[in-house]
Amino acid sequence: MARINVKSPNGEYPILIDNGLLSKLGERAAELSLDRRVAVVTNTTLAPLYGEALVSALPNAHLITIGDGEQYKTLATASFLYDEFARVGLDRSSIVIALGGGVVGDVAGFAAATYMRGVRFVQIPTSLLAMVDSSVGGKVGVDLPQGKNLVGAFKQPEAVIIDPRVLQTLTTQQWRCGMAEVIKHGFLADESLHDPALWTPEQAETLITRAVKVKVDVVERDPYEQNIRAHLNLGHTFAHAIETVSNYQWLHGEAVGIGLVGAGMLSARIGLCSPEFAVRIEQVVEAVGLPTRMGALSPEDVFAAMATDKKWREGKSRFVLLEAMGKPRIVEGVSEVDVLAILKHLIS
Ligand SMILES: NC(=O)c1ccc[n+]([C@@H]2O[C@H](COP(=O)([O-])OP(=O)(O)OC[C@H]3O[C@@H](n4cnc5c(N)ncnc54)[C@H](O)[C@@H]3O)[C@@H](O)[C@H]2O)c1
Ligand SMILES: [Zn+2]
């Protein structure tokens, strides 16, 4: 059992990580304040796997089920949740639990942040990505037709409850997508995350604990994303553009894998890191089983999609690059020629 305390602008909250923890929440309900009125928000895949059992184990819990997929991370779903919260009689002392991946966490968190100007909120992330990334740091929100994550809030949870055992039902593809963020955290601050001996279900508790610590350390230092929290976007300028141009054929984690390779190549090209280090990045991405090339996407189209990045101020490019292991740097004004050269390497 690991416990990490996170200092946030709204006080401190614990992240609890323990194999089998989900099935023990009934006996620990009072200690974790889950004995009051609770709305468990989950999706159609996770309700039969874990949601129904959780609701039966808690004394006063109601199950609310939304559809499975990013297409449900909308204001329409938030509106459905408000109706359900009212129907089950939530008040400001009640708790919303998000039981699911990043989609459930983001939309349930957004509804919890806004219903009655904010009700109490607990995250039970069930995907590897949600455990090591989206459930930590307080960002919640929904997509608009105009773009992803365009409406949102900062909502700190009261607790994050992680049971690595639930990963047994996650698909291999989704596991790898979560691993993209795990190895990203490794490049930023903890090289031990690149040890394949940790990439097994038996070691999941250790892997998750270390990966979460990297994110916690960054968000504690920059809770509102004003400076170093941007480091977490390593590989993501490439990734978001690749996702968009591929029409989301590449999943986010897959695009991050390619993006990490691109960030390494670009760092080496502009002389920030050694060529050997760029090769090392590619080896780690490959070892996880993630793609390292983006297929037949047009480099010009990907560059054009990058240039719409909201972090590229006044058309000036902006990348998180690496000087070495554990040494991220924000670099502005990398030339189009350099970026296009890397995108051409990333084809096929
Ligand atoms: N708030 C943040 O800081 C933050 C950070 C990163 C990503 N995100 C958001 O997170 C979302 C992606 O999260 P995700 O990758 O978890 O996607 P997801 O929530 O869609 O989950 C991926 C798939 O895995 C299934 N799943 C989850 N846990 C499972 C389990 N234990 N067993 C079987 N199936 C399971 C889900 O039902 C879904 O089909 C995106 O919307 C992204 O914008 C938010
Ligand atoms: Zn990501």
Side-chain angles (χ1 to χ4, degrees), residues 129 133 177 180-181 184 232-236 239-240 243 252-253 256:
L129 182 137
D133 193 352
C177 284
E181 309 290 353
K184 178 195 79 182
L232 297 167
N233 288 326
L234 178 66
H236 279 62
H240 290 144
E243 284 178 272
H252 175 70
V256 171

Side-chain angles (χ1 to χ4, degrees), residues 237-238 241 262 265-266 269-270 294 299-300 302-304 306-307 312 317-319 321 333-346:
T237 302
F238 285 93
M265 287 177 171
L266 187 56
R269 183 175 166 102
I270 65 167
M294 63 186 183
E300 288 75 19
V302 176
F303 184 82
M306 278 179 173
W312 285 28
S317 78
R318 190 164 196 264
F319 288 91
L321 298 178
V334 180
S335 77
E336 180 171 347
V337 172
D338 285 330
V339 178
L340 273 172
I342 300 310
L343 290 171
K344 284 178 186 149
H345 275 301
L346 290 176

Side-chain angles (χ1 to χ4, degrees), residues 61-270:
H62 304 264
L63 192 64
I64 301 175
T65 305
I66 66 172
D68 186 354
E70 182 78 27
Q71 68 271 31
Y72 294 98
K73 207 176 102 174
T74 58
L75 286 170
T77 300
S79 177
F80 164 77
L81 292 177
Y82 300 144
D83 285 343
E84 291 294 292
F85 292 169
R87 186 178 62 81
V88 303
L90 285 204
D91 60 34
R92 294 192 68 181
S93 68
S94 310
I95 292 189
V96 171
I97 296 182
L99 173 72
V103 168
V104 169
D106 278 10
V107 67
F110 179 73
T114 44
Y115 188 67
M116 295 184 166
R117 293 201 185 80
V119 295
R120 301 170 65 175
F121 179 49
V122 168
Q123 293 260 25
I124 308 185
T126 61
S127 68
L128 180 58
L129 182 137
M131 292 176 185
V132 301
D133 193 352
S134 60
S135 69
V136 181
K139 284 207 268 176
V140 294
V142 296
D143 301 330
L144 294 183
Q146 292 85 344
K148 285 187 64 171
N149 298 319
L150 282 182
V151 174
F154 282 96
K155 172 71 178 171
Q156 304 299 338
E158 286 193 15
V160 181
I161 294 170
I162 299 179
D163 181 351
R165 234 175 244 170
V166 304
L167 296 172
Q168 285 169 8
T169 52
L170 197 68
T171 63
T172 306
Q173 191 185 26
Q174 289 293 348
W175 164 268
R176 287 179 180 155
C177 284
M179 281 302 296
E181 309 290 353
V182 171
I183 59 173
K184 178 195 79 182
H185 291 175
F187 291 117
L188 293 175
D190 183 356
E191 194 177 358
S192 80
L193 292 167
H194 297 159
D195 179 358
L198 282 184
W199 304 346
T200 63
E202 297 73 45
Q203 294 299 319
E205 194 178 312
T206 308
L207 182 81
I208 292 162
T209 304
R210 290 187 193 173
V212 164
K213 276 189 180 145
V214 173
K215 176 139 188 191
V216 166
D217 185 47
V218 173
V219 300
E220 279 187 344
R221 285 154 64 199
D222 180 16
Y224 294 119
E225 199 164 341
Q226 282 154 345
N227 42 68
I228 62 152
R229 190 161 175 172
H231 291 166
L232 297 167
N233 288 326
L234 178 66
H236 279 62
T237 302
F238 285 93
H240 290 144
I242 290 168
E243 284 178 272
T244 309
V245 174
S246 77
N247 260 318
Y248 295 90
Q249 291 301 300
W250 288 119
L251 297 181
H252 175 70
E254 294 169 334
V256 171
I258 303 162
L260 291 171
V261 174
M265 287 177 171
L266 187 56
S267 305
R269 183 175 166 102
I270 65 167

